[in-house]
Amino acid sequence: MTTSRSAGDPRTPSSEHLVLTGVLTPEEAAQTVAGILAVQREDGAIPWFRGHHLDPWDHVEAAMALDTAGEHEAAERAYLWLARHQLDDGSWYAAYADGDPDDVTDRGRETNFVAYIAVGVWHHYLATGDDTFLDRMWPTVCAAVEFVLRLQQPGGQIGWRRDDDGTPASDALLTGSSSVHHALRCALAIAEQREEPQPDWELAVGALRHAIRRHPERFLDKDRYSMDWYYPVLGGALTGAEARERIDEGWERFVVPGLGVRCVVPNPWVTGGESAELALALWATGESDRALEVLQSIQHLRDPESGLYWTGYVFDDDAIWPRELTTWTAGSLLLAVAALGGHEPTCAVFGGEQLPKGMDPDCCPDA
């Protein structure tokens, strides 16, 4: 049963938190939400754009953005799409053409893609208070988490993929593992809400956080990518002074003033999704002013006709590239704006203070 709502309840539909100076006016926010809804299929699937593929991670990101705007029915349809099409091992394929579950274009199963449903489900529950929804999605979340944890390595890191023939990848990606860390904490929050303790998950998230914080050698070297820079912060593995130090260390490498965040150095290419995610990470560390500056810097990527955002911009050539208006870029921006605007479900999910931490291992204690 959905819990009752009252004036001032964060679950009461409102879009005031999606209005931000120099980023979104009320009309622009509504247009961006409508742009995502226009891409969503009737069955709930949200591909990158119509005619392109759906991947489970970006599908969830777009659904979370819909919840920030009070579009709860549309968001629920997105999560139920995942529940209907979950594979027997708890995973989803990495890509479906135009969101068609029968037209799989990448039959690998990536752990961070699979885990992210826990973040979306917890966000939707906080936005709606719908216990029936949480009950319905609990088996889906459990199966997804168990798939992911079967690829956890002895050092705590998460193998990034299982191939279609069943072969697991032991190599771990820092960005993916950081996203999984966030997802496991959200899964634990769901378990706590349902009063179903999951001690194995608690141990797993503690071991994973320790690997991210103390053992960079356990991850593939992707230091050129901005996501490897800020994702340990965005995923909640690094907090406080440790998080701020990491952000400051990479700032000049990746941030192009007035344009956004590079996807990879030294390429002269800024991307909207990475910029919005960095803004969300900055907000989580208490750097709201810098977060606002980053969001304002990428408004050159906004398409005034659709309200969606171009994926990226090559500034040496003054060229939009690729020429794709993606739902996940718009979704990441809406989530960052919602956090800055004080949307309580989004703040709770990405702020991290209200999420269970799990159990830290007795290894490499902090000085």
Side-chain angles (χ1 to χ4, degrees), residues 17-18 68 123 280 333-344 346-347:
H17 49 266
L18 294 181
T68 68
H123 184 259
L280 195 50
L333 179 125
L334 288 173
L335 286 167
V337 171
L340 284 165
H343 183 239
E344 291 188 19
T346 303
C347 292

Side-chain angles (χ1 to χ4, degrees), residues 50-79:
R50 293 313 303 268
H52 200 54
H53 75 254
L54 172 153
D55 74 71
W57 198 101
D58 290 311
H59 169 84
V60 169
E61 188 86 339
M64 293 171 69
L66 293 178
D67 268 325
T68 68
E71 295 288 348
H72 302 312
E73 186 276 335
E76 181 173 351
R77 287 193 294 116
Y79 295 121

